[in-house]
Amino acid sequence: MDEYYLGLVLVPTLIGVLAAVSCALLGNFLVLRKQSLMGDAVSHVVLPGIVVAFIATGSMAVAPMLLGAAVAALISALLIELVRNLGKVEPGAAMGVVFTALFALGVVLLEQSDTRNVHFDVEHALYGNLESLVWLDGTGLSALFDSQALADLPPQLGRLAMATVVVVLFVVFFWRQLVVSTFDPVFAQASGVPVRFIGATLISLVAVVAVTAFEAVGAIITIAMLICPAAAARLMTNRLVPQLLWSVLFAIVSAVVGFWAAGSGMELIGSGFSVSAAGMIAAVSGIILGLCACIGPQRMGALA
Amino acid sequence: MIDVSAFINAVTFNAGYNTAIVAIGAVLLGWAGGTVGTFLLLRQRSLVSDALSHATLPGVGVAFLVMASLGGTGRFLPGLLLGAAISAMIGLACVEWLTRKTRLKSDAAIGAVLSSFFGLGVVLLTVIQSLGIGRQAGIGNFLLGSTSGMLRNEAITLAVLALCVALLVFLFRRPLTLVCFDEIFARTSGINIQRTDLLLMFLVMAVTVTGLRVVGLILVVALLIIPPVAARFWTDKTNVMIVVSGAIGAISGFIGTALSASVPNFPAGPVIVLVAAVLFVISLLFAPARGVFSGLYRSRTFSNKVHMRQGLLAILRGEAIYDRDTIKVLRAKKFIRGDGTPTRTGLDAAENAAREEALWSCYLRDNPDAAYRAARMRLDPIAERLTAGEISELEKQFSSPTTVVSGSTA
Amino acid sequence: MNIHQSGSAALSVRGLSVAYGDKPALSSVEASFQQGRMSAIVGPNGAGKSTMLKASMGIIGTISGDARFFGRSLEEVRSRIAYVPQRASVDWDFPATVIDVVLMGLYRRLGPLNLIGRTQRNFATQCLEEVDMAALANRQIGQLSGGQQQRVFIARALAQKADLLLLDEPFAGVDAATEKTIITLLKKLVNEGGTAIAVHHDLSTVTAYFDDVLILNVRRIANGPVSKAFTEATLAEAYGGRLAQADPTVRAVI
């Protein structure tokens, strides 16, 4: 095994996998609730959150940025609800209004502030830089037991691992409430399930995951992973638990294959450059969905 | 921060040839976007435009690579826009295919196409970057748009395109309105719905592609979504909404480009979107037809009337009143005292309310179809709602012994 | 008389007013439904029939008024009530099987850590047998006919072991066999001491199916035993000129 394999390939791949899996798990419920595009909207408004946090603190420290992004994501979810209820407009249009307006605000604030000096730009926000999240001290298996080397692991790895654990715990502990309120909200409310609370928690977790993943891998993976694996999984099975498992599998495959294709795969076909891993992962998840749409055993609805 | 004289120059088209051309283009584009967007909103397909705009990116990348490999600069705008249009159509076809051929709903199809096409586009962008031929100025502008540093012929190309789109929208506004307003009527009057929907999507694509270079692919959907949603607060009528939405779009384009030209580091695209967003917030809050404040005021007034009526009837029956809102409205009118006992005026009002209730019941016995409207009307003084003749007729009935107050069968 | 003092009523509402914005849906409705009876809520379209059930269950907000179940507040007796929503209110393409949906009726009684085991599955299967659907227990719900979907909903309500069933349009768009199965089942439940309140739109079957009726048209028109409250006069008051068009058979029935 190449001595750099662990640090340069496995660690960023693992980061990609964690981001993909945590998004995909939540994505199942977004897709079933016909709220897929909430992920899209929430990911877009991370930008203004980060810019505001930067302007407020004047530093690129991670904690305030994550906080700013999370707050912005929650505010956008609230605004969407508000516009939808007050304006009585369809959810899609309400989302479109809110996320474009906030994203525009973010771009203008960014241009007006001096963030450009500290190397931050919109492109980075959109498609991150997964390739750079390497573990330089990870030069062999022995490094796994070397506390000094471990301390040098990219911090994104730990944060994403934590986010993934939180998502899994949420899905396991609130399983019944999630399922009932997704399938039949009226019945759920009548039986005393806190439907609004569950919905709000789901969106908050989407925001948390979007923010954590975004910092590591950019918005594009978040959006793709919140939708594509779950949508593809829906075409594979008619049961919810298998659907979740399929979506996790698709998320892992997208991350691994995408990361490989962006780096080693490009070398393999003899091209001398590497391309955006985030973009490639999103594209692979789209291809998986396309395949499932062609051959997935449950691709047709009962009425179609 | 804002340079007033530069702003005035920009508003009066005196800030240079390019700026004037871009401003004219933005106004036309804003109008076209607002108008087409109204149809899109009425057909409940607003976010299809989001998939469409993100799907332009791979096309831009491929067009760039093709033109560069043919020995060109790769920056040739019409070529890039053509590529954008083609891949947008492919993206749209994918959305249609996913929603028609599989069980996926449109939101999932839109999100999937949006993200995977965008991912592919990003891959192509990084290819171009590592080839070292596509400096940021080349196609980075397509993400967020930019008007500064735009070449004169680019500005002219965009203005002409915007003019064409606006003309097309103007020409086809009638069948589109008809289909959105009343699909069945449109069908019976010989309009092909599918073809009209296709036309709508073509116009959406045209607006998106034209707006790409100025507003950027992430924000160009705002031109199609924000103005119609804002317009919705001003009116319930489709044809009024189309006009209002077009106007909001045009105003946003105009003010946005003017601001962008007169304030440093104020990129045109996001600023246009922000101006539209401000107009949206104003509409949301203050529009008299469906705005938040007028809605709150109306439902508050209505709710108070309900409490007033129920409180008065309870007074008459000698029941204690517990509902806080009821107590509040009764106290405000001094119909009850602090201890909850009715005042003299309160008792009078209660008797009057009971009389009106009874008259309304008589009225509804004769006009059952009016129940829905009457539920609101009956809370107002009867003299405001019915003519004196009608009332005296009701009073005659009421006093006759054969009439029973409704609900007595319980 | 204060309705709430007749504490045995399965459901009593007092002064219930509901509006969507400033558009009234219910105006000061007073009604009570006795235990051990089958009651119908009838009225023309837009009369607020479903709204009344939803407002009673706290699913939508009210301007004023309250609802008491068995003389108590909803929270105290929620586990004794089963609510059957309109069939069209859910997405039947949801990835679940028939028995999954029935098991949802058990969620309230199971603690978050109690797993669903053989006992629960057997019980759910029994509930499905009651509506003659046990054979389809593992079928994907999207493959069911409208009548079968309604039966699954009824089975889920049975699984809740409730004393009071609130049904929103249980016979809308179902086949004759299903309608018969459901009505037989409901009558059996009521004979055993249960209570059923159904939003109903078919005036011609009111007399045959129900003991009591609430006739509604934004306000209460009449409420009481079918024999007294369901008269030509009250119906005319609720439906006006539409009655004749709505159902020519009704006049023959009443």
Side-chain angles (χ1 to χ4, degrees), chain A:
Chain A
M1 184 162 71
D2 193 318
E3 66 173 315
Y4 291 111
Y5 188 73
L6 176 66
L8 298 190
V9 176
L10 274 189
V11 166
T13 306
L14 188 59
I15 291 178
V17 165
L18 286 174
V21 168
S22 53
C23 289
L25 274 176
L26 295 177
N28 283 290
F29 293 98
L30 292 187
V31 167
L32 290 175
R33 286 164 173 250
K34 300 174 199 74
Q35 290 185 328
S36 307
L37 292 161
M38 274 309 275
D40 178 35
V42 164
S43 309
H44 276 91
V45 301
V46 164
L47 178 76
I50 287 182
V51 176
V52 168
F54 172 78
I55 292 171
T57 65
S59 82
M60 287 288 285
V62 172
M65 297 242 160
L66 287 182
L67 192 69
V71 169
L74 290 181
I75 289 178
S76 77
L78 275 179
L79 282 179
I80 290 169
E81 251 333 88
L82 212 66
V83 171
R84 210 162 73 93
N85 287 333
L86 295 180
K88 296 180 187 65
V89 290
E90 49 146 340
M95 278 178 213
V97 170
V98 170
F99 88 76
T100 52
L102 289 177
F103 190 82
L105 185 67
V107 176
V108 169
L109 286 176
L110 188 65
E111 292 288 325
Q112 288 288 304
S113 67
D114 292 327
T115 15
R116 278 159 302 159
N117 300 337
V118 285
H119 185 73
F120 179 81
D121 51 37
V122 176
E123 278 90 23
H124 180 264
L126 286 175
Y127 42 89
N129 198 355
L130 184 55
E131 301 85 337
S132 69
L133 300 179
V134 294
W135 185 29
L136 290 175
D137 286 355
T139 50
L141 284 178
S142 60
L144 285 175
F145 306 100
D146 179 350
S147 60
Q148 236 182 339
L150 283 177
D152 193 41
L153 272 171
Q156 287 87 351
L157 184 64
R159 284 197 283 270
L160 270 172
M162 231 143 61
T164 312
V165 169
V166 169
V167 167
V168 171
L169 287 180
F170 169 71
V171 171
V172 169
F173 277 104
F174 289 93
W175 177 257
R176 283 173 200 153
Q177 282 96 327
L178 259 175
V179 174
V180 180
S181 61
T182 302
F183 169 62
D184 191 344
V186 179
F187 170 80
Q189 223 176 336
S191 347
V193 173
V195 173
R196 291 181 71 89
F197 169 77
I198 295 284
T201 313
L202 178 65
I203 297 300
S204 309
L205 270 183
V206 168
V208 168
V209 167
V211 170
T212 326
F214 155 86
E215 187 233 349
V217 294
I220 182 65
I221 289 198
T222 320
I223 304 172
M225 289 303 139
L226 279 169
I227 302 171
C228 292
R234 182 67 194 89
L235 306 177
M236 296 300 293
T237 168
N238 258 333
R239 304 291 308 272
L240 191 50
V241 175
Q243 182 189 321
L244 255 67
L245 297 178
W246 274 112
S247 74
V248 170
L249 178 71
F250 288 149
I252 294 173
V253 170
S254 307
V256 172
V257 173
F259 188 81
W260 174 82
S264 322
M266 282 290 149
E267 283 170 30
L268 213 64
I269 59 167
S271 85
F273 43 81
S274 60
V275 301
S276 161
M280 194 56 108
I281 291 173
V284 169
S285 73
I287 293 170
I288 292 178
L289 174 62
L291 286 177
C292 291
C294 292
I295 56 168
Q298 302 295 343
R299 62 186 182 280
M300 307 283 226
L303 304 170

Side-chain angles (χ1 to χ4, degrees), chain C residues 136-198:
Chain C
L136 302 181
N138 291 311
R139 183 79 52 99
Q140 147 75 10
I141 52 172
Q143 296 166 3
L144 303 178
S145 72
Q148 289 168 336
Q149 291 172 348
Q150 191 65 57
R151 291 193 217 189
V152 175
F153 264 9
I154 301 283
R156 179 174 69 178
L158 293 179
Q160 290 178 280
K161 286 192 184 162
D163 300 322
L164 168 61
L165 262 67
L166 301 177
L167 306 107
D168 197 346
E169 298 266 9
F171 304 120
V174 306
D175 52 286
T178 300
E179 182 158 337
K180 192 154 177 268
T181 312
I182 295 177
I183 201 69
T184 314
L185 185 68
L186 290 179
K187 282 194 166 165
K188 190 178 119 199
L189 287 177
V190 167
N191 280 336
E192 290 163 2
T195 311
I197 304 171

